[in-house]
Amino acid sequence: MTAEWLVCANCAGRVSEGRCAVCRAELARLRAERGPWATLGGPAGLVALLLALVAVLALVARPA
């Protein structure tokens, strides 16, 4: 889940803006919940990982 479209019940602003203490606490909780590997969970991260794997395989399979 992302905080882009979440609206805070305390300040009525977007949680991603972090206007109040409640927003900032929720942002911190969401970031901790996602963990360090969250960037690979999205489509762009998976495509980048796949391209890196193909590049490594191409280098290994290259005739000497």
Side-chain angles (χ1 to χ4, degrees):
M1 173 183 283
T2 64
E4 286 297 317
W5 299 106
L6 293 177
V7 176
C8 178
N10 192 40
C11 68
R14 286 188 178 172
V15 172
S16 61
E17 294 173 359
R19 291 183 186 177
C20 68
V22 176
C23 294
R24 291 187 292 274
E26 184 63 20
L27 276 175
R29 187 189 67 79
L30 286 171
R31 288 180 183 138
E33 190 177 271
R34 289 183 359 189
W37 295 100
T39 56
L40 292 178
L46 292 175
V47 169
L49 183 63
L50 181 64
L51 288 176
L53 181 62
V54 168
V56 168
L57 289 174
L59 287 174
V60 171
R62 187 178 64 184

